[in-house]
Amino acid sequence: MTPEQQDFVNALGDTLATWNLPRATGRIYGYLLLRSEASTSDELRAALSLSSGAVSTATRELVSWGLARTIPQPGSRRLLVEAAGGFEQLLAASHERARAFIRTLRAAEELTETERAAGRLRDVRDLFTSYIDAGERVLRERAADGNTRIQA
């Protein structure tokens, strides 16, 4: 990798770490985004100086967030890994996490001690609902403009 590519990979690692994901997960995602072809676990380990366990954990995290996919290799148990998308995938994954948070908030409303507390809980829920609505609008507009690059 060039120094600029390494900087990008490290920056993405730092960014995803702020989302409480392992830094290695962000670094692998950054590396995969720069690659034109899928990578093996061995390639990821060597390129990023990571352990097998870190690569395995990061790959599972990225797949669970919809940011990467694994590709089976005929006649082998080994998988290739590739980035699944860009902004749209990140936003969709963020929306899914926010929806889970909203469900938790909605379920807790009846547990509040006062109407004031219930109102505060609804305010937080409404804020996250607005965030999802705005993001969904962006995704729809991009799709209508033909700018969507989400890969299945």
Side-chain angles (χ1 to χ4, degrees):
M1 281 190 289
T2 67
E4 293 81 9
Q5 290 172 321
Q6 186 67 44
D7 288 346
F8 170 75
V9 165
N10 289 332
L12 214 48
D14 293 341
T15 300
L16 266 61
T18 67
W19 298 2
N20 294 320
L21 290 170
R23 187 170 184 270
T25 301
R27 290 183 69 227
I28 288 176
Y29 185 53
Y31 181 80
L32 293 173
L33 283 172
L34 296 177
R35 304 240 335 144
S36 61
E37 296 181 12
S39 299
T40 66
S41 292
D42 290 339
E43 290 169 340
L44 294 170
R45 271 188 325 102
L48 301 170
S49 300
L50 297 170
S51 69
S52 295
V55 170
S56 178
T57 299
T59 299
R60 281 194 308 277
E61 284 283 344
L62 291 170
V63 169
S64 77
W65 276 71
L67 299 175
R69 68 172 152 264
T70 55
I71 305 165
Q73 296 302 287
S76 173
R77 292 178 51 200
R78 292 186 181 247
L79 301 171
L80 293 176
V81 183
E82 70 178 356
F87 172 75
E88 294 89 352
Q89 287 297 130
L90 284 171
L91 194 54
S94 177
H95 288 174
E96 193 51 43
R97 302 283 182 182
R99 284 185 188 98
F101 185 55
I102 290 168
R103 286 189 296 273
T104 301
L105 293 171
R106 189 171 285 126
E109 190 173 337
E110 66 187 41
L111 304 175
T112 58
E113 295 177 351
T114 64
E115 179 54 35
R116 181 173 181 255
R120 184 176 53 233
L121 209 149
R122 283 191 299 270
D123 286 346
V124 173
R125 184 194 66 210
D126 292 347
L127 175 68
F128 276 85
T129 300
S130 296
Y131 160 74
I132 291 172
D133 292 345
E136 292 295 326
R137 190 171 47 256
V138 168
L139 290 174
R140 281 192 306 274
E141 289 170 4
R142 285 180 60 87
D145 291 343
N147 289 332
T148 186
R149 292 178 187 88
I150 295 177
Q151 301 172 6

